[in-house]
Amino acid sequence: MFDDRSPIYQQIAERIKNDILSGELAEDAQVMSTNQYAAFYRINPATAAKGFHQLIEEGVLYKRRGIGMFVSQGAAKALRGQRRQRFFEEVVDAMIAEARIIGISLDEVVQRIQDQKGKE
Protein backbone atom coordinates (compact mmCIF):
# COMPACT_ATOMS: atom_id res chain seq x y z
CA MET A 1 0.00 0.00 0.00
CA PHE A 2 2.13 2.90 1.27
CA ASP A 3 5.75 2.87 2.40
CA ASP A 4 7.86 5.00 4.70
CA ARG A 5 10.17 6.39 2.00
CA SER A 6 8.11 9.50 1.23
CA PRO A 7 5.04 11.29 2.58
CA ILE A 8 1.75 9.52 1.87
CA TYR A 9 0.35 12.47 -0.08
CA GLN A 10 3.31 12.24 -2.49
CA GLN A 11 2.76 8.50 -2.86
CA ILE A 12 -0.90 9.19 -3.68
CA ALA A 13 0.14 11.64 -6.37
CA GLU A 14 2.66 9.14 -7.80
CA ARG A 15 0.08 6.35 -7.80
CA ILE A 16 -2.37 8.49 -9.77
CA LYS A 17 0.39 9.55 -12.18
CA ASN A 18 1.27 5.87 -12.71
CA ASP A 19 -2.39 5.08 -13.40
CA ILE A 20 -2.42 7.83 -16.02
CA LEU A 21 0.82 6.62 -17.62
CA SER A 22 -0.39 3.01 -17.72
CA GLY A 23 -3.64 4.06 -19.38
CA GLU A 24 -5.75 2.98 -16.43
CA LEU A 25 -6.89 6.61 -16.16
CA ALA A 26 -7.53 8.26 -19.53
CA GLU A 27 -7.67 11.98 -20.27
CA ASP A 28 -10.89 13.52 -18.97
CA ALA A 29 -11.57 10.42 -16.85
CA GLN A 30 -12.99 11.14 -13.45
CA VAL A 31 -10.84 10.10 -10.51
CA MET A 32 -12.07 9.01 -7.09
CA SER A 33 -12.94 11.85 -4.77
CA THR A 34 -10.57 12.59 -1.93
CA ASN A 35 -13.08 11.12 0.54
CA GLN A 36 -13.47 7.94 -1.55
CA TYR A 37 -9.69 7.68 -1.84
CA ALA A 38 -9.26 8.20 1.89
CA ALA A 39 -11.90 5.59 2.75
CA PHE A 40 -10.53 3.04 0.26
CA TYR A 41 -6.94 3.34 1.51
CA ARG A 42 -7.91 4.08 5.14
CA ILE A 43 -6.02 7.34 5.36
CA ASN A 44 -6.86 10.82 6.56
CA PRO A 45 -8.98 12.74 3.99
CA ALA A 46 -6.72 15.78 4.45
CA THR A 47 -3.73 13.67 3.36
CA ALA A 48 -5.57 12.51 0.24
CA ALA A 49 -6.65 16.09 -0.47
CA LYS A 50 -3.04 17.27 -0.24
CA GLY A 51 -1.99 14.70 -2.87
CA PHE A 52 -4.84 15.71 -5.17
CA HIS A 53 -4.07 19.40 -4.68
CA GLN A 54 -0.47 18.75 -5.74
CA LEU A 55 -1.75 17.12 -8.95
CA ILE A 56 -4.04 20.06 -9.64
CA GLU A 57 -1.13 22.49 -9.16
CA GLU A 58 0.98 20.40 -11.57
CA GLY A 59 -1.81 20.46 -14.14
CA VAL A 60 -2.30 16.69 -14.04
CA LEU A 61 -5.85 16.94 -12.70
CA TYR A 62 -8.52 19.59 -12.98
CA LYS A 63 -11.60 20.21 -10.89
CA ARG A 64 -15.18 20.60 -12.11
CA ARG A 65 -17.06 22.41 -9.40
CA GLY A 66 -19.67 20.18 -7.84
CA ILE A 67 -18.79 17.20 -10.03
CA GLY A 68 -15.28 16.08 -9.11
CA MET A 69 -11.75 15.85 -10.39
CA PHE A 70 -10.65 14.68 -13.81
CA VAL A 71 -7.46 13.87 -15.68
CA SER A 72 -6.24 16.87 -17.69
CA GLN A 73 -5.85 16.79 -21.46
CA GLY A 74 -2.22 16.07 -22.32
CA ALA A 75 -1.43 14.80 -18.80
CA ALA A 76 -0.02 11.47 -19.99
CA LYS A 77 2.21 13.11 -22.58
CA ALA A 78 3.50 15.67 -20.06
CA LEU A 79 4.11 13.01 -17.42
CA ARG A 80 5.92 10.79 -19.92
CA GLY A 81 8.17 13.71 -20.86
CA GLN A 82 8.93 14.44 -17.22
CA ARG A 83 9.71 10.79 -16.49
CA ARG A 84 11.96 10.53 -19.55
CA GLN A 85 13.89 13.61 -18.42
CA ARG A 86 14.18 12.24 -14.89
CA PHE A 87 15.30 8.84 -16.24
CA PHE A 88 18.11 10.38 -18.26
CA GLU A 89 19.22 12.63 -15.41
CA GLU A 90 19.00 10.10 -12.59
CA VAL A 91 19.83 6.84 -14.36
CA VAL A 92 21.70 7.41 -17.60
CA ASP A 93 23.79 10.40 -16.53
CA ALA A 94 24.63 8.69 -13.23
CA MET A 95 25.57 5.50 -15.10
CA ILE A 96 27.86 7.42 -17.45
CA ALA A 97 29.52 9.22 -14.54
CA GLU A 98 30.10 5.92 -12.71
CA ALA A 99 31.42 4.28 -15.89
CA ARG A 100 33.97 7.08 -16.29
CA ILE A 101 35.09 6.74 -12.69
CA ILE A 102 35.72 3.01 -13.00
CA GLY A 103 37.24 3.17 -16.47
CA ILE A 104 34.43 1.84 -18.65
CA SER A 105 34.27 3.55 -22.02
CA LEU A 106 31.01 4.86 -23.43
CA ASP A 107 31.50 2.44 -26.33
CA GLU A 108 31.43 -0.45 -23.82
CA VAL A 109 28.28 0.93 -22.21
CA VAL A 110 26.57 1.26 -25.58
CA GLN A 111 27.66 -2.25 -26.56
CA ARG A 112 26.23 -3.65 -23.33
CA ILE A 113 22.91 -1.91 -23.98
CA GLN A 114 22.84 -3.22 -27.54
CA ASP A 115 23.59 -6.74 -26.26
CA GLN A 116 20.65 -6.48 -23.90
CA LYS A 117 18.42 -5.30 -26.73
CA GLY A 118 19.24 -8.51 -28.61
CA LYS A 119 17.93 -10.52 -25.65
CA GLU A 120 14.41 -9.05 -25.85
Side-chain angles (χ1 to χ4, degrees), residues 38-120:
F40 185 80
Y41 289 106
R42 298 178 185 199
I43 59 171
N44 186 316
T47 301
K50 190 171 181 179
F52 279 68
H53 183 71
Q54 176 181 325
L55 294 172
I56 290 169
E57 285 185 353
E58 292 176 12
V60 174
L61 299 180
Y62 66 94
K63 192 184 287 191
R64 288 186 187 164
R65 187 179 268 289
I67 298 174
M69 284 183 254
F70 298 82
V71 178
S72 298
Q73 286 286 326
K77 183 178 180 181
L79 289 171
R80 200 166 286 109
Q82 292 169 4
R83 291 270 177 98
R84 287 175 57 91
Q85 181 67 28
R86 188 170 73 200
F87 173 79
F88 282 111
E89 290 172 357
E90 294 177 3
V91 177
V92 177
D93 294 350
M95 177 185 62
I96 291 169
E98 180 68 11
R100 285 184 177 135
I101 290 169
I102 60 176
I104 298 173
S105 72
L106 288 180
D107 289 338
E108 289 176 276
V109 172
V110 170
Q111 184 60 52
R112 179 66 177 233
I113 292 169
Q114 289 174 339
D115 292 346
Q116 291 299 314
K117 183 180 176 186
K119 294 179 181 180
E120 291 179 342

